[in-house]
C-alpha cells in the first residue's frame, strides 16, 4: 500500500519556468490538499479539494493552480516560477476533512528551488 | 497570518527530562491534531482531540485540548532520544487545516 506518492523528490527551476508537481493516493480518500513548508512558518495550505471536480483556495494560493479530475490524483501547477516559491511542498489526503476528525496522510515532499 | 502559535520554537533537553509544548490561538477549532515530522519525510499524526477539556494519553505523551477549544498542549514524560523531531499542531475548521510553526525537539542521550 503506497499511501500518498509525490514526484519529483527534487526540482530546480529557473525564474519564469512552469512545472507540475504530481500527487497520487491509493486510499480512495475524498480530501486532498497541498502545503508549502518554509523555515519557521510551519505548513501553509495552498489549495485543497473535497472530491473529484471540486477545488478551493487555501491561505497562499497565488501563483499556483490545481485540478482534480480523478479521486486519486491532485497535481499542483506552478505557472511562472519565482524565487519566493522556493520551498518544500507536501501533498496530503484524508478520508474526509470537515471537522478534522480524520488524519491527514502526507507524502514525503518535493523540494523545489527556483533560481 | 499565523493562526496557531507554538512555543517554544526549539527545545534541547537531556534524556529523562520532562517537557511541555504549547499551541495557542485566538480562533476556535472543531478539532486539533498533533503531528511529528522527521527530516526528509512528511508529518505523521500522533493524536486528534475534539472535545474541549479532553485529555488523551499515548504512552509517555499526554495531549490536552483547552476548554474553549482554542489551545492545546503536548507533555512528554521522561523524554528519550527517539522523541527527537519536529512537533506540529494543526487546527481544523471547514475543510481547512492551519498548522503552527512547529517545535524542534532534540533529546540528547
Amino acid at each position: 500500500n503506497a499511501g500518498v506518492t509525490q514526484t519529483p523528490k527534487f526540482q530546480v527551476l529557473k525564474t519564469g519556468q512552469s512545472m507540475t508537481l504530481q500527487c497520487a493516493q491509493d486510499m480512495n480518500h475524498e480530501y486532498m490538499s497541498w502545503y508549502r513548508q518554509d523555515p519557521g512558518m510551519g505548513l501553509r495550505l495552498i489549495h485543497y479539494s473535497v472530491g473529484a471536480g471540486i477545488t478551493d483556495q487555501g491561505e497562499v494560493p497565488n501563483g499556483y493552480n490545481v485540478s482534480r479530475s480523478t479521486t486519486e490524483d491532485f497535481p499542483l501547477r506552478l505557472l511562472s516560477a519565482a524565487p519566493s516559491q522556493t520551498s518544500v511542498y507536501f501533498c496530503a489526503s484524508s478520508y474526509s476533512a470537515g471537522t478534522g476528525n480524520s488524519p491527514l496522510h502526507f507524502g514525503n515532499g518535493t523540494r523545489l528551488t527556483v533560481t | 497570518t499565523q493562526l496557531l502559535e507554538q512555543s517554544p520554537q526549539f527545545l534541547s533537553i537531556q534524556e529523562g527530562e520532562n517537557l511541555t509544548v504549547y499551541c495557542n490561538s485566538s480562533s476556535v477549532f472543531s478539532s486539533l491534531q498533533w503531528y511529528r515530522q522527521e527530516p526528509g519525510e512528511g508529518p505523521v499524526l500522533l493524536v486528534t482531540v475534539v472535545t474541549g477539556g479532553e485529555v488523551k494519553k499515548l504512552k509517555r505523551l499526554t495531549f490536552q485540548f483547552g476548554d474553549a477549544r482554542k489551545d492545546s498542549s503536548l507533555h512528554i514524560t521522561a523524554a528519550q532520544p527517539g522523541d527527537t523531531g519536529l512537533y506540529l499542531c494543526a487546527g481544523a475548521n471547514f475543510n481547512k487545516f492551519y498548522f503552527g510553526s512547529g517545535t524542534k525537539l532534540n533529546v540528547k542521550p
Side-chain angles (χ1 to χ4, degrees), chain A residues 9 31 35 37 40-43 45 48 50 57-59 90 94 97-104 106-108, chain B residues 1-2 9 30-31 33 35 37 40-43 45 48 50 86 88 92-101:
Chain A
K9 199 166 176 62
Y31 183 87
Y35 298 83
Q37 186 172 32
M41 297 289 290
L43 288 105
L45 180 64
Y48 67 97
V50 298
Q57 296 182 348
E59 295 176 82
F90 286 97
S94 176
T99 57
N101 288 358
S102 300
L104 287 169
F106 284 86
N108 281 333
Chain B
T1 304
Q2 198 79 38
Q9 200 173 352
S30 57
S31 71
Q33 300 178 338
Y35 291 81
Q37 185 179 19
E41 298 180 6
L45 181 77
T48 300
V50 297
L86 179 68
L88 296 157
N93 268 336
F94 307 112
N95 293 320
K96 292 184 181 179
F97 291 82
Y98 300 92
F99 280 81
S101 53

Side-chain angles (χ1 to χ4, degrees), chain B residues 77-94:
Chain B
T77 304
Q80 298 176 0
D83 295 326
T84 293
L86 179 68
Y87 289 81
L88 296 157
C89 63
N93 268 336
F94 307 112

Side-chain angles (χ1 to χ4, degrees), chain A residues 1 12 22 24 28 31 36 44 47 50-51 54 60-61 73 83 89 93 99 109:
Chain A
N1 195 346
V12 179
Q22 300 293 343
N28 203 32
Y31 183 87
R36 59 177 290 173
R44 290 182 291 168
H47 286 286
V50 298
I54 306 167
V60 288
D73 300 297
Y89 291 85
S93 72
T99 57

Side-chain angles (χ1 to χ4, degrees), chain A residues 16-94:
Chain A
Q17 286 185 318
S18 62
M19 80 157 295
T20 300
L21 279 63
Q22 300 293 343
C23 176
Q25 53 92 8
D26 62 0
M27 297 172 283
N28 203 32
H29 284 168
E30 289 297 323
Y31 183 87
M32 295 187 75
S33 52
W34 277 101
Y35 298 83
R36 59 177 290 173
Q37 186 172 32
D38 301 294
M41 297 289 290
L43 288 105
R44 290 182 291 168
L45 180 64
I46 303 172
H47 286 286
Y48 67 97
S49 168
V50 298
I54 306 167
T55 63
D56 209 342
Q57 296 182 348
E59 295 176 82
V60 288
N62 293 340
Y64 307 96
N65 271 5
V66 291
S67 59
R68 184 97 180 268
S69 55
T70 67
T71 299
E72 295 78 20
D73 300 297
F74 191 45
L76 178 72
R77 278 181 287 277
L78 279 71
L79 307 172
S80 178
S84 61
Q85 293 179 306
T86 293
S87 187
V88 181
Y89 291 85
F90 286 97
C91 178
S93 72
S94 176

